[in-house]
Structure formats: structure tokens, C-alpha cells
């Protein structure tokens, strides 16, 4: 079966750095997305990785290792508005988007 | 670019009635649209994949006769919850795949703002 694992919840301090991990086992791989979802709102796109390595975009970076079936989202200089759920999603061999359950990130002052 | 709208944003209906939710891609053509449902504190659950001009493909466990999906044009898909019951109360989100859209990633999905359905 297809499986994507993320921690259920994480807590971090404002101004700090947090890394959210995602491991996946899917039938094929055609890319990995990270989305941010605030409570009561739809997900918004954060990043896309299809090749190994680190993609940096401002305070957010995303890393991928295809051989390990592993990705992480790195958030720097945390702000209170970063409190949200972060969803990892993988495109499988059928070009379907397989979603993780999401990681709820709580930022404390 | 790549904006997806949903209407209504929230709706309250009585048990036994039907509710239609519209999903529109405003500035691009979407050959494929997706319908998700999300219960509080849970992740997105894909209900069905909708391709323009053809029947929707439903995920296992989703009743096609209860959740009617129509994708009549490249910019509009509708989800009708028929004979709604309180257990259908949820957050319904649509997304559209914009293949070939400049600036988008392959198979990236653009999400609508969601529709909160409450059945009393």
C-alpha cells in the first residue's frame, strides 16, 4: 500500500527553527509537494521537489532524498503566523497526489 | 494567476435536502478537478477526481449516488450532496490541476477556499 508519514504535532518557539519530516512509500514517484493549511482554510502551496537536494524559498526550505523516501520542510525565523498544519503530498506513478495526514505546528512566544 | 473559487463558502441546510457546491477555475482551464472532504482536525480525504466531459472517478467508500459530480466545462465542476444528513457536515474543498499553465509545477493542484457545510 501507499503510505506517507509525518509527525502529528510539533511545538516550536517564535524566532527559532523547526524541521518537519516526511517519509513516504508509494508506487512510483513523480514529485513531492509541501502545503500549508491554516485552520478553516484551504491548503496553499509552499514547495515542490522532484530532484534530490534542497530548495530554498525565503524562510522556508524543502529537502528531498528519493533513495531514502524522505523529505523535510525547514522553517526559519518562526513567526506566530506560521502556526498551521503542514501537509506533505507525493505524486505517484499514476500521477495521483497521495496526501500525508499533516503536521500541526504550534508556535509559542 | 491560477485562482480557484468555490461557492458558497458556507451553507446550512436541513437534513434530507440537497446542496450544490460550485468550483470554478477563474483564469485557467482545468481538465481535471478534485473534490476533497476534511473533518475537524483530520487531513484531506480525496472523494473523487473529475475530468471534463467524462464521469467522475470516486474513491473507495464514497457513494457516487450521494455525491454527484459534474464537470461540464473546462472551468466549472459541481458537487451535489443529495439527501444530506448531519454526518455529511464537513469542509469540502475542490482543487484544479493546471497542466501546461505557465509558472505552475507539473501536476500542481490549486485549491479553492473551501465550503463549510452544516446539516441540521
Amino acid at each position: 500500500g501507499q503510505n506517507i508519514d509525518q509527525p502529528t504535532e510539533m511545538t516550536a518557539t517564535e524566532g527559532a527553527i523547526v524541521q518537519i519530516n516526511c517519509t513516504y512509500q508509494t508506487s512510483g514517484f513523480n514529485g513531492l509537494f509541501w502545503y500549508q493549511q491554516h485552520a478553516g482554510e484551504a491548503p496553499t502551496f509552499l514547495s515542490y521537489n522532484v530532484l534530490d537536494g534542497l530548495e530554498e524559498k525565503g524562510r522556508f526550505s524543502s529537502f528531498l532524498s528519493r533513495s531514502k523516501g524522505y523529505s523535510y520542510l525547514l522553517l526559519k525565523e518562526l513567526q506566530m503566523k506560521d502556526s498551521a498544519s503542514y501537509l506533505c503530498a507525493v505524486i505517484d506513478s499514476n500521477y495521483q497526489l497521495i496526501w500525508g495526514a499533516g503536521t500541526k505546528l504550534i508556535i509559542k512566544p | 494567476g491560477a485562482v480557484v473559487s468555490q461557492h458558497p463558502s458556507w451553507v446550512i441546510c436541513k437534513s434530507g435536502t440537497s446542496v450544490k457546491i460550485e468550483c470554478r477555475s477563474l483564469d485557467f482551464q482545468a481538465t481535471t478537478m478534485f473534490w476533497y472532504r476534511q473533518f475537524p482536525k483530520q487531513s484531506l480525504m480525496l472523494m473523487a477526481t473529475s475530468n471534463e466531459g467524462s464521469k467522475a472517478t470516486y474513491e473507495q467508500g464514497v457513494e457516487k449516488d450521494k455525491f454527484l459530480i459534474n464537470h461540464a466545462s473546462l472551468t466549472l465542476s459541481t458537487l451535489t450532496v443529495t439527501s444530506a444528513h448531519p454526518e455529511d457536515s464537513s469542509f469540502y474543498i475542490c482543487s484544479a490541476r493546471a497542466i501546461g499553465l505557465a509558472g505552475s509545477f507539473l501536476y500542481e493542484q490549486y485549491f479553492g477556499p473551501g465550503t463549510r457545510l452544516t446539516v441540521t
Side-chain angles (χ1 to χ4, degrees):
Chain A
Q2 311 213 80
N3 194 47
I4 296 182
D5 287 318
Q6 304 178 234
T8 303
E9 186 174 296
M10 299 182 69
T11 302
T13 304
E14 189 177 15
I17 299 173
V18 71
Q19 177 175 311
I20 303 174
N21 295 324
C22 170
T23 58
Y24 62 89
Q25 293 174 311
T26 55
S27 57
F29 178 85
N30 284 295
L32 184 146
F33 288 100
W34 282 96
Y35 281 86
Q36 179 191 59
Q37 185 179 24
H38 285 99
E41 299 180 11
T44 55
F45 169 83
L46 286 179
S47 67
Y48 172 71
N49 295 69
V50 66
L51 299 176
D52 290 349
L54 187 69
E55 294 280 342
E56 297 186 77
K57 186 189 295 185
R59 294 189 298 116
F60 293 5
S61 303
S62 57
F63 171 83
L64 175 67
S65 169
R66 288 172 296 172
S67 62
K68 296 181 179 178
Y70 168 69
S71 173
Y72 68 72
L73 180 68
L74 190 72
L75 293 75
K76 303 177 184 177
E77 301 170 16
L78 286 170
Q79 301 175 9
M80 297 303 293
K81 67 178 182 179
D82 298 329
S83 292
S85 287
Y86 291 85
L87 307 173
C88 172
V90 172
I91 306 169
D92 70 6
S93 57
N94 294 319
Y95 299 101
Q96 298 300 313
L97 204 56
I98 310 300
W99 292 90
T103 299
K104 182 179 180 180
L105 178 63
I106 299 169
I107 310 296
K108 295 185 175 180
Chain B
V3 177
V4 176
S5 70
Q6 268 185 253
H7 178 80
S9 55
W10 61 269
V11 58
I12 302 173
C13 71
K14 292 186 177 180
S15 186
T17 61
S18 295
V19 174
K20 180 186 283 189
I21 302 170
E22 291 187 350
C23 177
R24 293 181 185 273
S25 56
L26 298 184
D27 49 4
F28 66 98
Q29 294 183 330
T31 55
T32 304
M33 289 185 170
F34 304 86
W35 287 97
Y36 294 86
R37 181 167 53 180
Q38 187 174 36
F39 293 105
K41 299 183 180 181
Q42 295 185 24
S43 188
L44 297 172
M45 186 194 81
L46 179 65
M47 299 175 67
T49 301
S50 167
N51 290 297
E52 184 266 338
S54 63
K55 291 183 179 180
T57 302
Y58 290 81
E59 295 299 302
Q60 192 172 8
V62 178
E63 301 173 55
K64 60 181 65 177
D65 293 331
K66 180 171 181 61
F67 299 98
L68 301 178
I69 292 173
N70 184 279
H71 193 163
S73 78
L74 288 172
T75 59
L76 173 64
S77 177
T78 60
L79 167 67
T80 302
V81 183
T82 62
S83 187
H85 291 284
E87 56 265 30
D88 298 323
S89 298
S90 187
F91 191 45
Y92 292 85
I93 308 172
C94 75
S95 71
R97 197 156 68 191
I99 297 176
L101 181 68
S104 71
F105 291 103
L106 189 63
Y107 299 104
E108 180 178 354
Q109 293 185 22
Y110 294 90
F111 286 87
T115 297
R116 187 159 301 283
L117 170 64
T118 302
V119 185
T120 60

